[in-house]
Amino acid sequence: MNLFKQAYNSRFLRSATVLTAGSFAGLAIPLILLPVFTRIYSAELYGIQGILFVGMMALVPLATGYFDWAIPTPKKEKEARGLASLAAWLALAVSIVALNIIHFAKDSIIDLLRIPEIGAWIYAYPIIVFTVALANIANYWLLRTGAFGAQGGIKIVGALATAALAYGAHLLHIADGLLVGCVGGFIIAAIWGVAQMIRYGYTHTPPVWERVKRYRHFPLYGSIPTALYNLAAQIPLLIITATYTLHTAGHYAVTRNILFVGVNLIALCVGQVLLKHIAELTHAKKRVWPYFIHLTGWLTAFGICLMVGVYVVGPWFFRIYLGAGWEDAASITRILAPATFFWLIGPTLSQAVIAVHKIKMVAMWQVMYGLAAPALFLFTALPYEQFLMRYVAFEVIAYTLFALMMIRTMRRFDGK
């Protein structure tokens, strides 16, 4: 009982509740409005939006060098400010390089993606990368300061801006209004996030190499492996877009985005609080294993309930919620349901490993995932639903291995 109280003291619950509530509000806004937009914009446009997210997911970790994840870990605030400044400048440099590559190789990139419909929207890649990177930096600065409400506020502002701009574009008869809202929402969220950073004590501090080099394992074992993993995680969408139809890709992108983002939002919120508290325990030279293992048990129980709920209720929900023309989303939901449990457990536990600077295990798994995911191309000759089943089986195996690696790493670390 004492261990239970230690792991789930009121401070933890209060922090997790505030952060999760704000983040869920940010997710709830687009979910509530989704039935409006799926009746306004086509599945093909959602497919293009999904492809834009592919580049963002792959480039953002490279853009910040993963130094944003390191912001909560230093004892001294000056070090944290230097890490935040370094991450921002790196993001700007990578975005400029990406813009130049797109400018000189636009046609070749579009031909490779096999999506001529993307057109000039390919230039949105570097904008999205830079703005999402800034929002991430702000997120981890606010995490460090304990401003959990402000963290959730970034997501809420971004969601409101995206919805308002997308609907406003529709009223102005802009055919690609969904993409206008998407890009504009990222920009406004980034501006709001930087403003909140300044409000909660951030001032620009040039990074000092003697301090920064203590965190060089973050870009080495964080940035590159995460970029590889993020790109590999988008392989199914790339396959569906190229092998089946853009319409089918839109159905998959919307359904997976709702499930994956929702589950990972829970994982990120709980995991970030876990990161902060384990970092504090390690600074105080206290044991972390009891705290970690109790949280793992409760996550497992919640994850099972989540998986069953998605399988039973999900198809009915999507069939009614998205409206006519989106019936395929119901069957996709049931196929993806088993993966939701593993999407919750693995990412949450990985935050604990980051807190104790044992990110080599995370990097190892991400590289393994990135190298194994191209095997999904072997199933492109299968019917669409069978391909999705193979993909889910791959996810279950991969994330089971991930969770086991995280548990083993934390067990070995305890007491050192």
Side-chain angles (χ1 to χ4, degrees), residues 147-415:
F148 300 114
Q151 274 186 281
I154 296 175
K155 298 178 178 66
I156 294 173
V157 168
L160 287 172
T162 299
L165 290 171
Y167 193 73
H170 166 69
L171 294 178
L172 294 174
H173 305 289
I174 299 175
D176 294 342
L178 181 70
L179 305 181
V180 172
C182 172
V183 176
F186 283 133
I187 293 173
I188 293 174
I191 294 172
W192 182 263
V194 172
Q196 293 303 301
M197 283 181 67
I198 296 172
R199 177 187 175 190
Y200 284 93
Y202 171 78
T203 55
H204 177 68
T205 302
V208 178
W209 171 244
E210 289 302 317
R211 297 192 184 103
V212 170
K213 70 180 182 181
R214 294 204 292 266
Y215 304 93
R216 60 184 179 273
H217 54 288
F218 278 88
L220 181 61
Y221 298 112
S223 178
I224 297 174
T226 299
L228 180 62
Y229 159 73
N230 286 345
L231 182 59
Q234 304 305 315
I235 284 177
L237 177 60
L238 295 174
I239 291 175
I240 292 169
T241 303
T243 306
Y244 303 100
T245 65
L246 188 58
H247 177 85
T248 303
H251 280 261
Y252 169 81
V254 169
T255 307
R256 184 186 182 277
N257 185 57
I258 293 174
L259 294 177
F260 188 80
V261 171
V263 172
N264 272 263
L265 180 60
I266 301 172
L268 185 61
C269 291
V270 178
Q272 285 181 347
V273 177
L274 181 66
L275 183 154
K276 179 176 174 61
H277 283 256
I278 286 186
E280 291 173 350
L281 289 173
T282 56
H283 291 159
K285 301 187 182 303
K286 295 181 179 179
R287 295 188 66 200
V288 299
W289 177 251
Y291 186 91
F292 174 83
I293 200 62
H294 278 89
L295 180 63
T296 302
W298 280 100
L299 277 173
T300 300
F302 177 77
I304 293 172
C305 295
L306 176 68
M307 177 178 61
V308 173
V310 170
Y311 185 84
V312 174
V313 180
W316 169 82
F317 170 80
F318 278 94
R319 191 177 293 112
I320 296 175
Y321 197 64
L322 298 181
W326 290 83
E327 292 80 4
D328 290 347
S331 59
I332 295 172
T333 303
R334 183 156 286 176
I335 294 173
L336 294 180
T340 57
F341 172 83
F342 301 91
W343 290 342
L344 173 70
I345 301 298
T348 303
L349 300 187
S350 69
Q351 298 287 306
V353 177
I354 292 171
V356 298
H357 291 207
K358 298 292 184 180
I359 62 175
K360 290 183 181 180
M361 287 289 100
V362 178
M364 183 185 302
W365 178 82
Q366 289 174 328
V367 171
M368 292 167 57
Y369 185 100
L371 295 177
L376 292 169
F377 282 100
L378 299 175
F379 306 121
T380 53
L382 295 175
Y384 175 57
E385 289 194 356
Q386 291 186 28
F387 168 75
L388 283 184
M389 290 178 184
R390 297 296 192 281
Y391 161 62
V392 171
F394 172 80
E395 291 285 271
V396 169
I397 294 171
Y399 277 91
T400 298
L401 177 62
F402 189 32
L404 292 175
M405 290 173 67
M406 298 306 98
I407 292 171
R408 180 176 181 272
T409 300
M410 292 304 297
R411 184 69 185 92
R412 296 184 64 182
F413 171 83
D414 191 53

Side-chain angles (χ1 to χ4, degrees), residues 71-94:
I71 291 171
T73 60
K75 289 184 179 181
K76 296 181 179 180
E77 185 173 306
K78 188 174 183 179
E79 283 190 54
R81 292 200 303 267
L83 290 171
S85 299
L86 176 60
W89 282 111
L90 285 174
L92 178 61
V94 170

